[in-house]
Amino acid sequence: METTGESCGAAEGGDAPATGALQVRVVQRISEIAAAEWDRCAHSAESMAGAGESHNPFVSHAFLSALEESGCVGGRTGWLPLHVAAERDGRVIGYAPCYLKSHSQGEYVFDHGWADAFERAGGRYYPKLQVSVPFTPVTGPRFLIAPGEDADEATAALVAGLRALRRQVEASSIHATFLPETEAERAGALGFLRRVDQQFHWDNDGYSTFDDFLGALASRKRKAIKRERRDALASGITIEWVTGADLRDEHWDAFYRFYMDTGSRKWGRPYLNRRFFSLIGERMPERILLVMARREGQYVAGAINLIGDRALYGRNWGCIEDHPFLHFEVCYYQAIDFAIRHGLARVEAGAQGEHKLARGYRPVITHSAHDIADSGLRAAIADYLRREARHVAAAAEELDAATPFRRGED
């Protein structure tokens, strides 16, 4: 489908705001968009979201272009890039990272049940449009609005373009996932159905050292973490932090072995390939932290994190040797230690995992927004989401009460 550089008919059906000279284009390769222009809009959108972050590495041009150039998206992957660009009088007012999907893999906001129900009823759920960062359950802006633009008006223009694109490619729906609450509210005002879920994040309450953090925990939990950290390294394992100019092929080769081992067991086919890791290592090394575990001169486990201006984002982990508590040490405790030493406000440790609670991570609500074309399917999903939201809120409240932090008992 050749749509690059052409209007996708945003004014069709009355969806576009009456701003005049508004054009919405669909761009199939992010390389056709200037990196500086894309990142300028991404930084502006992050500021508008009120998250205090001015650089979210996952929505950066470098990260998204690495996914495309490595072949992790595009081709036969079921992730066809169709990025939406809104312009007025030749000036960019915003972008939306968008993909045409032929499945629901690699999204972390699960709609398999919706697809199954719709297709059993005679509908066609795929293709669908996904406004997201592929394979990445990290909250960040999805409507990248240029500095100085009105957020409501620019979002409406991008949504109009997405809806026109949905009609053009005959998609069933549009799904914007892991977007900030403020963006979810704007999407809701434009008719999207809102959905909530939860993750576990660690907050830096002004700690100067890891021991300061431990001091905030109940005595029993504090002792348990100390024991886990000691046992994780009991086999003579040492930990290295590798970032920036220190990243070399030997680190990526070792980490990729870990990633493939874990990915093959959990997903059947890992989403990311070796070239992707080389590309991000070349293009954004200062934003990457590899936590590598070494035993007897050989790397045996590791985790990749991306570094934002205010947060550390834990992503993938793997190992070729099993050692008690090594996963917790490499993925959670080392991330906390790094965040404290570098003055970062929080650690986001990825999707799911109530086991993170005992390690000082708290439940946090995440947001997505869904635009469903079929009225019957929309009504059924809306009813489901109302019930799901009550369950998520109750679960988050219950889990928050179970955090390991002191409550006056010691």
Side-chain angles (χ1 to χ4, degrees):
M1 180 178 61
E2 181 60 45
T3 55
T4 304
E6 298 177 5
S7 169
C8 66
E12 180 184 341
D15 284 322
T19 55
L22 173 67
Q23 182 186 31
V24 179
R25 297 184 298 115
V26 177
V27 181
Q28 290 183 293
R29 290 174 295 276
I30 197 172
S31 60
E32 297 179 13
I33 300 172
E37 182 67 21
W38 179 279
D39 289 341
R40 186 175 74 97
C41 294
H43 297 170
S44 171
E46 193 76 32
S47 177
M48 290 180 187
E53 183 81 280
S54 60
H55 183 94
N56 183 304
F58 298 101
V59 293
S60 68
H61 193 280
F63 188 88
L64 295 173
S65 64
L67 286 173
E68 293 185 15
E69 290 182 33
S70 64
C72 293
V73 300
R76 297 178 180 271
T77 65
W79 290 82
L80 178 66
L82 293 178
H83 307 304
V84 173
E87 301 173 353
R88 184 189 300 110
D89 299 327
R91 186 182 76 253
V92 170
I93 63 174
Y95 298 108
C98 182
Y99 302 84
L100 186 70
K101 293 294 303 296
S102 59
H103 53 67
S104 290
Q105 298 171 10
E107 298 167 7
Y108 301 92
V109 175
F110 303 108
D111 63 347
H112 303 86
W114 303 356
D116 181 62
F118 192 46
E119 292 182 1
R120 281 191 287 108
R124 187 170 66 97
Y125 194 75
Y126 302 108
K128 64 177 185 177
L129 293 176
Q130 192 77 22
V131 182
S132 69
V133 176
F135 325 122
T136 306
V138 174
T139 294
R142 301 296 180 255
F143 300 103
L144 313 184
I145 299 169
E149 297 294 334
D150 179 83
D152 291 336
E153 184 178 333
T155 301
L158 288 168
V159 166
L162 287 164
R163 284 174 170 160
L165 176 61
R166 183 193 67 203
R167 292 189 291 270
Q168 181 177 327
V169 299
E170 299 182 341
S172 71
S173 47
I174 306 166
H175 306 266
T177 50
F178 294 102
L179 70 172
E181 185 174 10
T182 52
E183 289 193 0
E185 290 172 350
R186 292 190 197 107
L190 293 167
F192 279 62
L193 300 176
R194 294 181 59 183
R195 189 178 192 182
V196 294
D197 202 347
Q198 68 177 8
Q199 291 182 343
F200 296 89
H201 298 174
W202 177 85
D203 292 319
N204 187 350
D205 193 17
Y207 306 120
S208 297
T209 65
F210 193 92
D211 284 340
D212 285 349
F213 158 61
L214 290 179
L217 305 183
S219 175
R220 181 171 59 88
K221 300 295 186 181
R222 182 165 59 246
K223 292 176 181 177
I225 289 177
K226 288 181 176 180
R227 183 176 63 253
E228 288 183 358
R229 300 201 75 183
R230 182 177 62 249
D231 291 351
L233 307 181
S235 300
I237 291 174
T238 57
I239 303 294
E240 300 175 10
W241 291 348
V242 188
T243 187
D246 293 331
L247 288 163
R248 298 189 299 275
D249 281 344
E250 66 175 287
H251 301 117
W252 288 122
D253 289 342
F255 174 75
Y256 190 64
R257 287 198 302 273
F258 310 149
Y259 171 76
M260 289 295 291
D261 180 78
T262 298
S264 296
R265 286 185 282 109
K266 291 178 65 175
W267 313 310
R269 183 180 66 84
Y271 300 127
L272 303 172
N273 58 33
R274 178 63 179 82
R275 175 151 174 73
F276 167 77
F277 292 109
S278 289
L279 287 173
I280 61 171
E282 294 168 4
R283 295 176 181 180
M284 48 193 299
E286 74 287 353
R287 295 292 178 178
I288 295 168
L289 168 68
L290 288 181
V291 178
M292 303 291 283
R294 186 193 291 267
R295 189 179 73 85
E296 297 181 352
Q298 179 185 12
Y299 289 122
V300 298
I304 186 171
N305 304 261
L306 269 70
I307 307 168
D309 287 346
R310 290 181 51 79
L312 183 69
Y313 302 95
R315 285 302 303 117
N316 305 106
W317 135 275
C319 65
I320 56 173
E321 293 184 2
D322 292 324
H323 296 273
F325 307 114
L326 186 59
H327 174 240
F328 299 150
E329 175 65 24
V330 171
C331 293
Y332 307 139
Y333 301 140
Q334 289 291 327
I336 290 172
D337 200 355
F338 183 91
I340 291 172
R341 294 194 193 189
H342 292 82
L344 299 176
R346 68 187 184 278
V347 177
E348 298 191 17
Q352 298 141 357
E354 292 184 10
H355 59 277
K356 298 168 187 171
L357 197 69
R359 279 87 203 170
Y361 290 72
R362 299 178 184 270
V364 174
I365 298 298
T366 59
H367 302 269
S368 59
H370 309 268
D371 194 48
I372 313 297
D374 183 86
S375 59
L377 179 61
R378 177 186 172 87
I381 290 175
D383 178 67
Y384 170 80
L385 293 181
R386 282 190 290 269
R387 291 181 282 110
E388 183 187 50
R390 291 194 293 269
H391 171 76
V392 170
E397 184 176 352
E398 181 178 344
L399 289 169
D400 194 55
T403 58
F405 293 90
R406 286 186 296 163
R407 290 177 171 82
E409 74 276 18
D410 68 349

